Amino acid sequence: MSEKSSYSIDQLYSLIANEEDARVCKDIPAEACREVPRNFFLILFSNVLTKLGDLLISPKTVLAWLMSAVGAPALVAWLVPIRESGSMVPQMVIGAWVRRKAVRKWFWTLGSFGQAMSVIAMAASVWFLEGYAAGTGIVAALVVFSLSRGFCSVSMKDVQGKCIPKTRRGRLSGLASSLGGTATVILTALLFWDRGDPTVGFYTLLLLLAASMWIIAGFLFAGVEEYPGETDGGGNALAEAFKSLSLLRTDTLFRNFVITRALLLCSALASPYFVVLAQKESDIGWMLGFFLLASSLASSLSASFWGWAADTSSRRVMIRGAAMASGICVTVGCLALVFGPGFGGAWFYPIAFFILSIAHAGVRLGRKTYLVDMAGGNKRTDYTSVSNTVIGVLLLATGALTAAISLISDIAVIIVLGLMGFAGMISALRLDEVTED
């Protein structure tokens, strides 16, 4: 890299980070300070591409609609639990493996390529198969996608913790979400503008486009300058993984954080039910475009705000996100219960989905930043893997519970999840502050 381009990157980083020199290198190795600007943008653009890919294959919107398009609507219920828990449940074992390596960026790179291959397999299932054969192919590819995502989740927090200083991590995540959301808004407008109902060919193209995002992101992340860190040797990965569970008993702050995070699952689990109610009132294909637009606009407009706020207090960001999620769920549930699911017409649910997506962005950014700031070194890897594994198991259990409640009423599910979010807000109020100015 030339001296001129390096100077430009330093200038742009100083503008984003609101600093004039490298004196804000908190909680990272001293030798990593000079690489911060370059690493910041490599990680940023990698995240932007993967967030764009995530929005293009969201199980809450695109994949749910796709299952109906290929003729496998009964498999919709499996999408969100597999997508989320599949990447979380194995993370104690993944974390024990990652912890043995001094340089961990390659786990993220390989995980990104794995996600790309999985999405290509989904596209092949859509194009070459139909009915439940296509649906089963999508679900099987989603399992591999989620496992690959587990490697990215564990390694990203650790690489970010080693390469990006404290009080700059929240704005990195926020800026990535905002840029990814903005790109998705533009892409959604181009893809859905006056195109009518999506076809199988359209879905295939959408999936291949998303796969390309993970491939490019993997190559970008490989360029991150990561200095070797702490390693743990010896022991079986599975044994080390279960040993890490003792953190839930011995570490009070971490235990309270996991409880809070479990209750805040409401913001993720409620989203598909907004789509379900909308589908019951209007099954026109372009409605998918509105939900995708609502999701991407929410990321674009709110993520940077949440990210900057998380650098001041990630705990308060979780509280505010939980309050918003709880409020919109209870409001939508009660209005639908009193006035009927058709209340407000076709626009009501996309608008409510937009508000819930803003709240979910706050919950995600708040708890991610809180986790990274809560610990350093290998403890950060342990925190990430243990919390994700526990949350993955709880997600399956909560998903089964909400599926049972949905047999009675989809509206009841939304109200119950809203009350769960309120409990999460109360739990977040009890957490300690971990962000240092």
Side-chain angles (χ1 to χ4, degrees):
M1 184 181 296
S2 68
E3 184 178 343
K4 183 176 180 181
S5 62
S6 178
Y7 179 69
S8 299
I9 290 174
D10 289 346
Q11 280 186 314
L12 186 56
Y13 173 74
S14 296
L15 181 64
I16 293 174
N18 191 28
E19 63 184 56
E20 297 179 356
D21 51 43
R23 56 189 167 80
V24 193
C25 280
K26 297 180 179 179
D27 199 34
I28 67 172
E31 65 271 17
C33 274
R34 64 178 177 271
E35 303 292 343
V36 167
R38 179 173 178 273
N39 285 338
F40 184 93
F41 288 107
L42 285 172
I43 295 174
L44 172 64
F45 290 125
S46 298
N47 277 342
V48 167
L49 289 168
T50 58
K51 288 181 186 299
L52 178 56
D54 280 335
L55 288 168
L56 290 177
I57 67 155
S58 170
K60 302 171 187 175
T61 53
V62 177
L63 292 186
W65 231 280
L66 178 57
M67 283 297 192
S68 296
V70 300
L75 297 178
V76 169
W78 292 97
L79 295 176
V80 172
I82 288 176
R83 161 66 170 71
E84 299 297 335
S85 64
S87 66
M88 291 180 177
V89 172
Q91 282 196 16
M92 285 197 304
V93 176
I94 292 173
W97 184 19
V98 169
R99 196 169 54 239
R100 297 178 181 180
K101 306 297 180 181
V103 175
R104 297 162 186 177
K105 66 178 182 179
W106 301 114
F107 287 99
W108 196 96
T109 298
L110 292 174
S112 186
F113 290 155
Q115 289 175 86
M117 294 303 102
S118 301
V119 177
I120 290 173
M122 292 181 195
S125 297
V126 171
W127 187 254
F128 293 108
L129 303 173
E130 60 184 22
Y132 279 93
T136 302
I138 293 171
V139 169
L142 189 60
V143 172
V144 179
F145 177 93
S146 297
L147 291 173
S148 300
R149 190 178 185 83
F151 283 94
C152 290
S153 179
V154 171
S155 56
M156 170 57 80
K157 290 181 178 66
D158 197 61
V159 172
Q160 184 175 318
K162 290 166 65 179
C163 298
I164 306 299
K166 186 180 281 192
T167 74
R168 297 296 175 261
R169 298 161 185 160
R171 67 193 64 191
L172 170 61
S173 299
L175 191 58
S177 294
S178 288
L179 291 175
T182 301
T184 311
V185 169
I186 297 171
L187 199 57
T188 300
L190 292 174
L191 291 172
F192 285 89
W193 185 264
D194 199 27
R195 296 296 175 89
D197 290 351
T199 63
V200 170
F202 172 85
Y203 282 118
T204 303
L205 176 64
L206 197 66
L207 291 170
L208 291 175
L209 182 61
S212 69
M213 302 298 171
W214 275 286
I215 293 173
I216 299 171
F219 282 113
L220 285 177
F221 203 84
V224 170
E225 188 66 39
E226 179 192 357
Y227 286 86
E230 301 174 43
T231 61
D232 280 350
N236 176 270
L238 188 59
E240 291 293 322
F242 282 105
K243 183 179 178 182
S244 298
L245 279 174
S246 63
L247 285 170
L248 292 170
R249 175 174 49 84
T250 60
D251 194 323
T252 303
L253 176 61
F254 177 63
R255 181 173 64 249
N256 290 338
F257 167 76
V258 172
I259 292 171
T260 301
R261 185 180 172 187
L263 292 169
L264 295 183
L265 287 173
C266 68
S267 62
L269 291 172
S271 298
Y273 290 96
F274 283 44
V275 177
V276 167
L277 289 180
Q279 282 180 309
K280 289 181 177 179
E281 296 307 310
S282 176
D283 59 356
I284 48 180
W286 52 258
M287 183 67 73
L288 169 61
F290 283 117
F291 276 104
L292 189 57
L293 191 63
S295 179
S296 53
L297 269 176
S299 294
S300 174
L301 296 176
S302 70
S304 285
F305 165 77
W306 288 126
W308 260 262
D311 282 335
T312 301
S313 173
S314 51
R315 169 181 165 271
R316 287 200 293 269
V317 167
M318 284 191 287
I319 293 169
R320 292 164 185 164
M324 283 185 65
S326 174
I328 191 63
C329 285
V330 171
T331 299
V332 168
C334 290
L335 287 174
L337 189 64
V338 174
F339 299 104
F343 174 82
W347 292 97
F348 177 69
Y349 291 108
I351 292 173
F353 186 90
F354 171 73
I355 297 172
L356 181 61
S357 296
I358 290 177
H360 182 61
V363 168
R364 280 176 57 87
L365 278 167
R367 54 98 170 161
K368 283 184 176 182
T369 306
Y370 192 94
L371 181 62
V372 173
D373 288 347
M374 191 165 47
N378 276 336
K379 202 169 187 180
R380 183 182 292 118
T381 307
D382 288 337
Y383 276 4
T384 301
S385 57
V386 172
S387 65
N388 282 349
T389 299
V390 172
I391 292 300
V393 173
L394 292 177
L395 182 63
L396 289 174
T398 308
L401 176 62
T402 54
I405 298 174
S406 69
L407 296 176
I408 303 172
S409 168
D410 292 327
I411 297 172
V413 174
I414 293 175
I415 294 175
V416 169
L417 291 173
L419 296 175
M420 180 175 160
F422 179 76
M425 182 189 70
I426 299 300
S427 182
L429 285 168
R430 298 172 54 242
L431 293 175
D432 297 337
E433 290 285 359
V434 295
T435 306
E436 299 176 0
D437 296 327

